[in-house]
Amino acid sequence: MLTVFTPTFSINRFYFPLSVESDTPFLQYIPNQDVAYGIGGLFIALFLASLVIALLSRAPTYLGAVMGSLCIAVSLFLRGSLSNTPMYVGSFILDSLGAYLLLLTTLVMCGRWVAYVEDGRTPFPQLLWIVGGLLFVGCVVLETVALPLTFYRDAWYRHIGHMLHMASVSATLCGAGIGFLASVWKAVVNKGRCIVVEVVCLLCAFALLLVWSSFALAQTRLPLGGAVGSEVAWYLLNVLPLGLVLVLWTVVNAPRVFCYEEAVGKQPPVYRLRHSGSYGGHYEYPAEYSYPLRAPGVPDYCRHGGSSNGDMEEKIQKAILRYA
């Protein structure tokens, strides 16, 4: 059972802007060291598991989740050994950085999945990657500047710090919401492939990140006391959602699930007819084939609606294959 303390800290140890009504301090209790160290050890285990599956799957895009789990683990170790304000600021920044890395990884995986189900016919995956990159860079910069300002003695600096922190958390909330809606949309409109595991991974991850960002935003807006100022609530609504994301990805082996290079490589090759004149043409075949062989599949011209020229090309192709 966690014990929550509400002591009065001195300026020499912590500075909490309790005298300004618009400010909301982030910590109202002494964190339980044993709990912080224990949960930090669990995140170290998740870090090692994530690193192993990322290396085995050869998925560099999953390194964001690996680094995110490490940031959260270090944040918890700092939280368990707090002795001054800079340590608490560093713990807070690392916790937020871990969440931002998980959001970036989720958006990258969502983009790869959309590119797979759409066969690369839409620029939506690139848009998701751009949004994820901009969100990550912007949130990291805002959070790094905001949290040190929160502990300044001047009320104006503290107010600016709170506004920047709210901006970074709100951006995370919007990014997770966009990813969640995009995953639902693509899951509904694309029913031709088995995408159950991918949809579960994405929707659960975005939903848990929505919980994290909502609680982080509530800490800055709701009055002190109750769930907002409770250590138990902090672990349930801040640490637990991030841990569940990593556990889910580890169980289903997310790097392998969202690695579509192998599936794309198994698609039958397509051989195009290159015209050399009005009546002639020749086929180009891969180097590994010593004789003309066309794998079964839909001709290219059928993807563009078909035409009389396409019918003629199909007849020529069949004749070549028949007498090869």
Side-chain angles (χ1 to χ4, degrees):
M1 186 66 181
L2 298 178
T3 304
V4 178
F5 299 90
T6 56
T8 302
F9 292 95
S10 62
I11 295 294
N12 295 329
R13 186 175 183 186
F14 286 98
Y15 180 70
F16 293 98
L18 299 177
S19 60
V20 181
E21 294 182 357
S22 61
D23 289 338
T24 303
F26 297 112
L27 192 62
Q28 290 288 301
Y29 49 83
I30 299 176
N32 189 303
Q33 293 184 355
D34 296 335
V35 174
Y37 289 147
I39 299 179
L42 294 178
F43 273 92
I44 288 294
L46 289 174
F47 161 71
L48 295 176
S50 301
L51 180 62
V52 169
I53 62 176
L55 293 177
L56 292 178
S57 302
R58 298 181 181 180
T61 56
Y62 195 69
L63 292 179
V66 177
M67 297 305 299
S69 58
L70 181 61
C71 289
I72 299 170
V74 176
S75 169
L76 289 167
F77 290 143
L78 289 176
R79 182 181 178 87
S81 57
L82 287 180
S83 61
N84 50 53
T85 303
M87 289 183 65
Y88 176 64
V89 172
S91 173
F92 208 112
I93 291 176
L94 287 173
D95 178 75
S96 300
L97 179 59
Y100 300 152
L101 284 168
L102 292 184
L103 176 61
L104 175 63
T105 305
T106 312
L107 288 173
V108 169
M109 292 193 300
C110 183
R112 291 173 63 85
W113 171 66
V114 172
Y116 170 68
V117 298
E118 295 288 347
D119 292 323
R121 298 189 303 268
T122 173
F124 190 71
Q126 289 79 4
L127 181 61
L128 277 178
W129 296 334
I130 293 174
V131 170
L134 293 177
L135 278 176
F136 175 73
V137 174
C139 290
V140 170
V141 172
L142 288 175
E143 198 78 344
T144 305
V145 175
L147 291 177
L149 291 178
T150 306
F151 292 90
Y152 268 58
R153 296 188 179 185
D154 187 273
W156 177 247
Y157 286 107
R158 296 197 301 271
H159 179 70
I160 293 176
H162 281 293
M163 294 298 104
L164 294 178
H165 173 67
M166 290 172 58
S168 65
V169 174
S170 300
T172 306
L173 183 66
C174 293
I178 291 173
F180 186 87
L181 295 176
S183 301
V184 173
W185 171 41
K186 291 300 179 181
V188 171
V189 300
N190 292 279
K191 300 179 180 180
R193 298 183 179 180
C194 184
I195 55 176
V196 176
V197 179
E198 291 94 327
V199 172
V200 170
C201 286
L202 293 175
L203 292 183
C204 290
F206 283 127
L208 291 168
L209 289 170
L210 284 172
V211 173
W212 179 91
S213 53
S214 298
F215 178 72
L217 189 61
Q219 284 183 302
T220 64
R221 299 302 300 169
L222 296 181
L224 299 179
V228 177
S230 169
E231 185 174 14
V232 177
W234 188 83
Y235 280 110
L236 291 178
L237 300 176
N238 185 290
V239 179
L240 182 60
L242 303 181
L244 290 178
V245 172
L246 292 169
V247 169
L248 174 64
W249 289 350
T250 302
V251 170
V252 302
N253 197 354
R256 182 57 61 92
V257 170
F258 291 92
C259 183
Y260 298 110
E261 282 78 4
E262 182 178 354
V264 173
K266 292 181 179 179
Q267 296 296 325
V270 176
Y271 310 109
R272 301 177 182 275
L273 177 65
R274 176 176 293 180
H275 292 277
S276 58
S278 300
Y279 303 99
H282 67 278
Y283 281 88
E284 290 187 343
Y285 299 96
E288 59 267 21
Y289 293 105
S290 58
Y291 57 91
L293 175 65
R294 190 188 193 285
V298 180
D300 284 349
Y301 64 84
C302 293
R303 299 180 182 179
H304 304 286
S307 62
S308 58
N309 292 333
D311 296 336
M312 182 60 66
E313 290 177 3
E314 181 69 10
K315 293 179 181 179
I316 295 173
Q317 184 183 39
K318 290 182 178 179
I320 293 175
L321 294 176
R322 181 178 179 180
Y323 296 103

